Amino acid sequence: MQVTLKVFRYNPEVDKRPHHSTYKLEAQPTDRVLDLLEYVKDHIDGTLSFRRSCAHGVCGSDAMRINGVNRLACKVLVQDIKAKTITVEPILGLAVLKDLIVDMEPFFEHYRSVMPYFVNDEPVADNIERHQTPEERARFDDTTKCILCAACTTSCPSFWVNGEYVGPAAIVNAHRFIFDSRDRAASERLRILNDQFGVYRCHTIFNCTIACPREIQVTQAIGEVKRAIVTGRLD
Ligand code: SF4
Ligand code: F3S
Ligand code: FES
């Protein structure tokens, strides 16, 4: 089948403003959008720039807007796109460095701000593992699945309005530790997320949940963090 691929292009070193380039390609219905981009880069225009690594939905590096929706290019098949033209553009709310590559540093800065790591200085008896019941482990299972692709944060209108908002991805990663029964820094993370750019910037718009390629219940996780702040309880 023939497909029309329209790609956002911008090289700040030479372009006054962004434009789109259109390519007519032969493709299989089971090709992924990432395959189309790879074809253009390998055979038509080697300057096309985009991030990708695993090509299997694991590394989270190829989040982009595909026909207006945040997706991983390696997880979207040509046959799944009903429109005549496949339009590929960078995710919103982060500065474009070149073509489909955005500056992820503000995203990772928010991520780092919520202490996304295990905190517990208490000695472990007999040097064995810190025990946890299956129920305690299940409490935060959903939020362990995050691959930091930024599809959620860059689909959030609150983040578009104010990039200081810590964003859903950071809250998901805070949730993963806040509700871990072995961790001891929940109150510190809740304090961080209770500030003016924290969880209360979320107005329950749900774009984040729809965008998440790992099907994490992002809005629910944010709601649980809000409730923990209000009640002081972690149940
Ligand atoms: Fe990506 Fe989902 Fe993690 Fe957001 S919560 S960064 S959409 S994997
Ligand atoms: Fe934004 Fe998701 Fe909340 S889209 S407003 S973080 S529910
Ligand atoms: Fe790794 Fe798509 S290239 S998630």
Side-chain angles (χ1 to χ4, degrees):
M1 62 190 289
Q2 193 176 67
V3 298
T4 303
L5 181 70
K6 188 174 163 189
V7 186
F8 177 101
R9 304 298 305 268
Y10 180 54
N11 179 353
E13 290 180 4
V14 294
D15 297 331
K16 281 206 175 71
R17 61 185 70 84
H19 62 281
H20 288 79
S21 295
T22 301
Y23 309 95
K24 302 267 187 206
L25 307 173
E26 278 302 319
Q28 298 295 322
T30 50
D31 281 346
R32 304 160 303 178
V33 172
L34 181 63
D35 296 321
L36 304 184
L37 293 170
E38 299 274 18
Y39 184 87
V40 171
K41 187 169 180 68
D42 291 348
H43 299 282
I44 303 175
D45 182 354
T47 69
L48 175 62
S49 301
F50 53 91
R51 287 195 180 100
R52 82 277 182 249
S53 182
C54 70
H56 290 284
V58 178
C59 73
S61 60
D62 63 339
M64 50 190 80
R65 263 184 308 147
I66 300 175
N67 286 6
V69 180
N70 279 8
R71 314 283 297 273
L72 297 179
C74 64
K75 287 191 76 173
V76 181
L77 303 184
V78 168
Q79 66 190 11
D80 295 337
I81 299 173
K82 302 306 172 203
K84 284 206 174 89
T85 300
I86 301 172
T87 304
V88 183
E89 295 167 308
I91 47 179
L92 295 172
L94 297 168
V96 175
L97 298 179
K98 187 166 185 288
D99 298 338
L100 301 171
I101 296 178
V102 298
D103 180 6
M104 292 287 285
E105 188 47 33
F107 173 80
F108 285 115
E109 197 177 313
H110 290 321
Y111 167 68
R112 289 190 295 266
S113 75
V114 300
M115 304 169 66
Y117 43 80
F118 186 70
V119 177
N120 189 338
D121 293 334
E122 296 164 8
V124 183
D126 302 327
N127 265 345
I128 54 172
E129 297 166 341
R130 297 182 194 277
H131 289 163
Q132 190 166 54
T133 66
E135 292 74 25
E136 287 170 336
R137 174 62 180 76
R139 181 67 189 84
F140 60 94
D141 187 63
D142 197 34
T143 47
T144 64
K145 295 185 295 186
C146 178
I147 55 172
L148 292 172
C149 68
C152 55
T153 296
T154 60
S155 69
C156 172
S158 290
F159 180 72
W160 298 338
V161 168
N162 192 328
E164 294 291 307
Y165 169 38
V166 71
I171 302 171
V172 159
N173 284 279
H175 178 287
R176 181 258 170 267
F177 292 100
I178 288 168
F179 293 95
D180 186 332
S181 59
R182 302 161 301 177
D183 187 88
R184 295 292 176 266
S187 56
E188 179 63 7
R189 292 191 195 89
L190 293 174
R191 187 191 62 71
I192 292 166
L193 289 170
N194 192 21
D195 101 332
Q196 60 169 327
F197 298 118
V199 284
Y200 293 106
R201 290 266 162 179
C202 168
H203 303 298
T204 326
I205 294 170
F206 270 92
N207 283 11
C208 52
T209 302
I210 294 164
C212 180
R214 303 287 292 168
E215 297 179 0
I216 297 170
Q217 296 305 303
V218 179
T219 311
Q220 182 180 320
I222 296 170
E224 290 174 2
V225 172
K226 286 177 180 171
R227 196 173 61 234
I229 290 172
V230 171
T231 64
R233 294 204 330 258
L234 296 177
D235 50 12

